Each structure stands twice: as C-alpha cells, then as structure tokens.
Amino acid sequence: MAELHTPRSLIVTLYGAYGRETSGSLAVAELIRLLAAVGVDAPSVRSSVSRLKRRGLLVAQPTALGSAGYALSDDARQLLDDGDRRIYAHPAPRADDGWVLAVFSVPETERSKRHVLRSRLARLGFGSAAPGVWLAPAHLYDEARHTLERLQLAPYVDLFTGNHLGFAPTAEAVARWWDLPAIAQQHEDFLARHEPVLRTWESRAPAGPGSSEAAYRDYLLVLDSWRRLPYADPGLPAGLLPRAWPGARSADVFARLHALLRDAGAGFVRGELPGSGVRAGVVSV
C-alpha cells in the first residue's frame, strides 16, 4: 500500500464509495475484511475508526443485521455529498462564469481561527489574492458556504461573487493566486500511478476468478487518490491555464477506471457484507 493511502483516508473513501448504499453502518470486523484487500491491518483499522469517531465523522449505529457498527455522521454525509459534485462532475468552466470571493477578519483574541480559515479555504481549492482575501471559481460557492457553516467559521467571513476587472490579465493573476506547477505535478503523479492500471484493465478479460476483488482494490485506490485532486485543482477555465495542462487527461483516466471498476468492485463488497444490499450502478463517493 502506497504511503499516499492512509487507513483513515481509505475508510472515508470506502464509506463514500459503498457505505451509503448499505444500512449506512459497517461493523469494525467488516471494515477489517474490506480494508485487508488494500493492505490495511486490523490494528490500523481499529485505531483509525476511533480517531474518526472522535473527530465526529463516524457515529455508533447498528448494522443491517443488528450488530454494533459505525455510520457516517450528518456532517460527514454533507461533506461527501459536496464531494460527489467535485469528484464526478467535470464541468467546462468559462472565464465569464465569475468568482466567489471570501473576505475574512478574525479578532486578535481568536487568532488561532485565522490558520483554520486559511487552511480550510486552501483545502476547498481557493487561491490567495491577498491577506484575508481568497477566491475560487463561482461554482464552489455552495460547498464553501456549507463548509464554513459546518465549522462555525461563517461569522468571520463575507462571501461575494463577481468578475476580475483588472489590472493584470486574469491568466497572470491566476498564476499568482494558485501554485499551478504544484497542481500540475499532482495530476502527473496521479497519471503515473493509475494510467498503467487503466491500460491493464482495458486489455484484460472483463471477468475471471478474483476479478471482483481486484476491481474493488484498484477502484478504492484510484478513488482515494483522485478525490484529493478536485480540491487541489478547483477547475479553472482552460483559457487561464498553461498549455498542455494535464487536468483533463487525469480526469479522463479516473472516469474510465470508474466506469470499468466501480460496479465490478461492488460484487466483492456484497460478498464480504452478507445482506448488505449494496447496489451496482449507483454513483456515490
């Protein structure tokens, strides 16, 4: 298992990919069986579940069979629902779609919240235009609002929408607001890891012994890698990006692997969770 894929991240990815189609609750023993397929040992699963519970992302809830288990909290479900739109929707934004602007001011007595605000806006894909002034493509407004409200940071922030009117060309300004070379490198790293996986699956027979487990394993890993990228890369209009931008290529690789592996992997989950009712063909992450 690559260092990229931490046990906590894989647990969240698993709940997003398949957990919302069961009762919503998974027993720790079930999580251990499912995560063993991607190389996570039992102690790591148990400690990660405890941490996710302390963070308020998992809550105790009986499974479909009535045994003790854990389900996503309401906040975690909102987080994943917002993430669905990032992970699966690949819009073609235009420069005239505009921007959402977040302007924040935090009293000196609560200065620790400045770091929280900056780090959270950065994780949402916002770029920094000036101290206390961050912006992102306008389509991220709803998710930004949900996140700031969930973290009780809304009282410190004003949100606006609008257009960039000068004075530098917008493409030059975008190169200041975001670290575009670093984002491009993340796309290249994703392609280096998962494009060979796509070639392998496109060249193999569609079914065979162990194919559902292999599909599940490769899907969970590609999804766990991909779900970070639409946050690092907020989906800037193509005309504002450098030539040969790798974002469209990496999005295509993920979309093709999703189409090949997601439903096939659900067969393995069904086998590990008797009575779960996991449905093929439902897109949720």
Side-chain angles (χ1 to χ4, degrees):
M1 184 181 66
E3 187 176 343
L4 170 72
H5 305 290
T6 68
R8 270 182 288 176
S9 177
L10 285 165
I11 289 171
V12 173
T13 299
L14 172 60
Y15 271 95
Y18 298 110
R20 285 178 286 178
E21 299 166 26
T22 67
S23 67
S25 181
L26 298 171
V28 173
E30 294 170 336
L31 288 169
I32 289 171
R33 291 199 301 272
L34 288 167
L35 291 167
V38 289
V40 181
D41 59 30
S44 296
V45 173
R46 293 191 183 95
S47 64
S48 296
V49 167
S50 295
R51 291 190 184 98
L52 290 167
K53 185 180 178 184
R54 286 197 298 271
R55 289 179 57 193
L57 296 176
L58 292 180
V59 294
Q61 179 180 302
T63 68
L65 298 179
S67 59
Y70 292 94
L72 294 167
S73 67
D74 290 342
D75 282 346
R77 283 182 175 272
Q78 180 67 69
L79 188 66
L80 291 176
D81 288 345
D82 284 338
D84 286 352
R85 291 185 284 275
R86 293 252 195 157
I87 291 164
Y88 289 105
H90 305 296
R94 302 172 303 174
D96 59 3
D97 289 343
W99 307 90
V100 56
L101 196 71
V103 180
F104 67 83
S105 178
V106 179
E108 186 63 23
T109 55
E110 300 178 86
R111 59 183 178 273
S112 64
K113 291 184 178 177
R114 291 177 195 156
H115 172 71
V116 176
L117 265 167
R118 287 193 295 264
S119 62
R120 183 56 60 170
L121 289 170
R123 288 170 61 183
L124 284 168
F126 277 66
S128 177
V133 181
W134 292 64
L135 79 165
H139 68 267
L140 298 184
Y141 164 75
D142 286 337
E143 185 177 358
R145 187 181 188 94
H146 292 158
T147 300
L148 294 169
E149 289 174 341
R150 177 171 58 83
L151 297 176
Q152 299 182 337
L153 295 171
Y156 307 98
V157 185
D158 286 303
L159 296 177
F160 305 86
T161 59
N163 299 310
H164 179 239
L165 300 178
F167 292 93
T170 304
E172 291 182 16
V174 161
R176 294 196 310 269
W177 299 336
W178 282 272
D179 186 346
L180 296 180
I183 296 172
Q185 186 60 55
Q186 290 186 57
H187 283 294
E188 296 290 357
D189 291 345
F190 176 87
L191 288 164
R193 284 190 299 269
H194 298 292
E195 204 166 29
V197 177
L198 175 63
R199 288 197 294 268
T200 298
W201 278 99
E202 288 184 332
S203 66
R204 68 184 291 176
S211 62
S212 65
E213 180 176 356
Y216 161 82
R217 180 188 63 245
D218 287 348
Y219 182 65
L220 201 67
L221 294 176
V222 71
L223 179 57
D224 196 56
S225 294
W226 173 256
R227 70 184 181 89
R228 297 166 174 79
L229 257 174
Y231 288 89
D233 182 345
L236 297 166
L240 302 180
L241 293 168
R243 291 183 180 179
W245 183 253
R249 186 171 147 219
S250 64
D252 179 63
V253 167
F254 171 72
R256 288 156 69 186
L257 280 168
H258 171 77
L260 283 168
L261 303 180
R262 195 271 169 198
D263 291 351
F268 175 73
V269 177
R270 280 195 297 270
E272 293 299 308
L273 306 177
S276 67
V278 174
R279 302 184 302 279
V282 179
V283 174
S284 293
V285 173

